[in-house]
Amino acid sequence: MAASAQIGVTGLAVMGRNLARNFARNGYTVAVHNRTPGRTTELIEEFGHEGTFVPAESPQDFVAALERPRRLLMMVKAGQPTDAVIEEFAPLLESGDMIIDGGNAHFADTRRREQALRRRGIHFVGSGVSGGEEGALHGPSIMPGGSAESYEVLGPMLEKISAHVDGDPCCTHIGTDGAGHFVKMVHNGIEYADMQLIAEAYHLLRAVGGHAPVEIAEIFKRWNQGRLDSYLIEITAEVLAHTDADTGKPFVDVVRDAAEQKGTGRWTVQTALDLGSPVTAIAQATFARVASSRAELREAYRSLPGGTPHAMSPQERDHFTRDVEQALYASKVIAYDQGWTMIRDGAAEYGWDIDLGAVAKIWRGGCIIRAAFLDRIRAARAAAPDLVSLLDEEQFAAEVADAQTSWRTVVASAARQGIPVPAFSAALASYDTLRSEHLPAALIQGQRDFFGAHTYHRTDRPGTFHTRWAEPGRPEVRTDGGAA
Ligand code: NBP
């Protein structure tokens, strides 16, 4: 077989098939392969006319069809299948060739695989791909890791098939080894937080504001014209306006209220704990999904006493709707900021040089959290590359300051009326933690020193100290060898 394909895609389920079509539609010759050959045949039969495909049944034929340096994109189930496919293809490749993993791999696995393949002379590019099957076909947001050298050869192709916003591709080299999959993981964590915040806003408008789902759909449509303009708000309005054909009830009333997950939110929270990154809104969003799914527990405690309902006047409802918009926006600023802080922490830990502004830029299109808001984050980070938090930027800071009363009113109303708003509450608590001059952590240090002699630092002089709590007079000693 003559080597004519600029890229090869193995794994032709929804994502791989659509990415292969996207490459072909953009003028590339694409070799296609799948473990079960039926999927390859189907692709050629249904979509062969869209471009130039080279179907291959065997791994050997597939590899032989690729121009050198070979670019082999795998879109298979993450985990063990990824290792199996690497082991199948790596022996067939030569030095300088590339394996690109576009699946949802854990970044630690990507780091391990990259290291192992580098020793064999093969570039391994763990690449986050966001946007689902539609994104894969029409232009996803792509987050490639791996070596800078591999990006030189591969980058232009990935940029071409990615989504574009204002003429810019939603694809950039994120950093070496697992950086791409790390950033994709955090993207998904932010996605969890954003979805939970939107869901809590809906819950508040319904349970406290007394609006029907179809009215809330209109409110979200209106919000989508303003600063909350985003794909997630747009689809929320669509879902809320949908009526179940069987029962005539609102669709949201016939769906079981047990949220599922594929695990990337959980990875974000687990990794954040290892890094010491307080991604509290993301964590609450992840736990909220888990808690919603514990049907037996929820059933058992349904009759516990709760808050006090309050029927709102039409005027109060309008006011409350405006408050919820403010609270949602301010919480969103905090949740996104937590994601960026985690990326910075990850970069420091793993030695990645990640351009935080470029991350905002490539999330403006193609991916699930695409939003006008991200263009503002991009602009803020472009103007001040060392920006630590969005709260350091004048306009974001002013907006969050303006939201104060509403934000607190909404969280307080929810608590009074017994409506759980874990992500709103976590975001507000995170904000208050940042701005508090004094936190009760001093007391915790005292407790730790009392039961475990864990020592503490004083506010008035340097050194490490321990109080001998059991001795009369509780004398304090300096434990770091310095003068007491
Ligand atoms: P799936 O995650 O459902 O994987 C199915 C593919 O993996 C098929 O091509 C299957 O081949 C292949 N495969 C498996 Br399973 N085990 C294999 C093995 N041992 N050797 C070779 N091939 C094997 O497909 P998907 O939903 O298209 O997702 C592909 C990747 O993209 C996943 O990592 C996913 O997490 C990620 N992703 C998905 C989305 C999305 O919206 N679905 C978005 C972003 C990223 P077969 O046909 O022979 O069974």
Side-chain angles (χ1 to χ4, degrees):
M1 185 177 291
S4 61
Q6 286 118 340
I7 186 127
V9 181
T10 183
L12 301 174
V14 283
M15 290 297 289
R17 182 186 59 190
N18 282 359
L19 281 172
R21 291 172 61 198
N22 189 348
F23 278 114
R25 287 170 168 201
N26 274 287
Y28 294 110
T29 299
V30 189
V32 284
H33 170 268
N34 193 70
R35 175 180 62 176
T36 312
R39 285 198 204 265
T40 315
T41 316
E42 269 171 37
L43 168 59
I44 299 300
E45 279 174 6
E46 276 185 62
F47 306 108
H49 61 278
E50 290 183 353
T52 312
F53 295 98
V54 183
E57 246 194 53
S58 73
Q60 289 75 10
D61 283 352
F62 179 58
V63 168
L66 298 174
E67 280 179 0
R68 293 216 57 209
R70 299 184 181 91
R71 287 166 281 228
L72 189 161
L73 169 62
M74 45 192 287
M75 288 305 293
V76 302
K77 207 175 179 63
Q80 197 277 329
T82 304
D83 284 314
V85 172
I86 290 172
E87 274 323 303
E88 186 166 24
F89 286 97
L92 306 175
L93 299 179
E94 292 167 89
S95 183
D97 288 349
M98 274 161 245
I99 297 181
I100 306 119
D101 175 17
N104 268 336
H106 192 289
F107 76 96
D109 286 335
T110 302
R111 282 167 63 79
R112 167 178 60 78
R113 290 166 183 149
E114 196 274 340
Q115 202 180 31
L117 286 167
R118 195 173 350 123
R119 282 199 289 268
R120 293 158 80 169
I122 297 167
H123 294 283
F124 184 68
V125 180
S127 182
V129 178
S130 179
E133 54 181 303
E134 278 302 297
L137 183 60
H138 299 293
S141 176
I142 310 180
M143 294 148 256
S147 65
E149 199 185 336
S150 60
Y151 193 79
E152 268 177 38
V153 180
L154 182 68
M157 293 179 73
L158 296 181
E159 289 180 11
K160 195 160 179 194
I161 67 147
S162 75
H164 284 70
V165 175
D166 300 336
D168 292 323
C170 292
C171 172
T172 192
H173 182 228
I174 300 289
T176 52
D177 56 73
H181 276 140
F182 182 92
V183 164
K184 169 69 190 329
M185 175 186 75
V186 177
H187 165 282
N188 286 22
I190 294 174
E191 177 185 311
Y192 275 46
D194 205 342
M195 290 169 73
Q196 176 67 22
L197 289 169
I198 292 171
E200 288 176 16
Y202 150 73
H203 198 179
L204 287 159
L205 293 172
R206 188 149 190 201
V208 179
H211 292 281
V214 64
E215 293 169 342
I216 303 172
E218 288 305 315
I219 292 171
F220 276 106
K221 270 190 203 156
R222 214 169 54 236
W223 287 354
N224 207 36
Q225 307 299 314
R227 59 187 179 170
L228 284 168
D229 173 12
S230 63
Y231 171 71
L232 281 172
I233 295 277
E234 180 192 327
I235 64 164
T236 300
E238 299 269 344
V239 173
L240 287 172
H242 182 54
T243 304
D244 175 52
D246 275 0
T247 59
K249 290 182 182 170
F251 169 78
V252 277
D253 288 349
V254 299
V255 175
R256 273 192 58 214
D257 57 350
E260 296 173 10
Q261 58 169 315
K262 282 193 173 165
T264 39
R266 188 176 62 229
W267 287 349
T268 311
V269 180
Q270 287 169 336
T271 307
L273 287 171
D274 291 340
L275 290 170
S277 267
V279 293
T280 53
I282 296 171
Q284 287 299 340
T286 309
F287 284 125
R289 288 198 190 188
V290 174
S292 73
S293 298
R294 305 201 63 172
E296 279 177 25
L297 211 58
R298 290 177 55 200
E299 185 60 43
Y301 293 103
R302 193 139 299 161
S303 58
L304 287 175
T308 316
H310 164 76
M312 287 183 170
S313 68
Q315 217 179 5
E316 276 180 305
R317 287 167 96 196
D318 286 349
H319 209 278
F320 185 70
T321 301
R322 283 196 293 276
D323 285 342
V324 174
E325 193 272 345
Q326 292 269 15
L328 176 56
Y329 185 78
S331 300
K332 184 168 161 146
V333 170
I334 298 298
Y336 276 61
D337 221 28
Q338 291 180 347
W340 258 269
T341 300
M342 180 168 173
I343 294 174
R344 190 185 303 104
D345 291 344
E349 175 70 19
Y350 298 108
W352 298 319
D353 181 18
I354 299 181
D355 178 341
L356 298 173
V359 171
K361 192 169 162 185
I362 65 162
W363 286 351
R364 292 180 303 164
C367 64
I368 305 298
I369 63 170
R370 61 184 182 262
F373 181 69
L374 282 158
D375 197 41
R376 292 190 41 218
I377 299 181
R378 177 205 58 76
R381 293 203 171 273
D386 295 333
L387 198 73
V388 173
S389 160
L390 292 178
L391 297 172
D392 294 329
E393 196 268 346
E394 209 176 324
Q395 205 186 338
F396 282 114
E399 286 173 323
V400 173
D402 280 353
Q404 288 299 301
T405 310
S406 297
W407 202 5
R408 294 177 195 285
T409 301
V410 165
V411 173
S413 303
R416 263 197 305 274
Q417 301 200 34
I419 309 298
V421 285
F424 272 45
S425 310
L428 180 56
S430 170
Y431 175 80
D432 283 333
T433 298
L434 286 174
R435 49 164 286 285
S436 288
E437 191 180 346
H438 297 291
L439 291 171
L443 176 60
I444 291 171
Q445 285 300 85
Q447 293 164 335
R448 294 179 68 244
D449 190 60
F450 193 106
F451 65 68
H454 291 303
T455 73
Y456 52 87
H457 299 286
R458 296 182 57 100
T459 56
D460 53 358
R461 52 183 193 270
T464 307
F465 297 89
H466 166 59
T467 291
R468 293 196 175 121
W469 297 95
E471 291 180 18
R474 302 188 158 167
E476 182 180 75
V477 290
R478 187 162 174 180
T479 61
D480 61 351

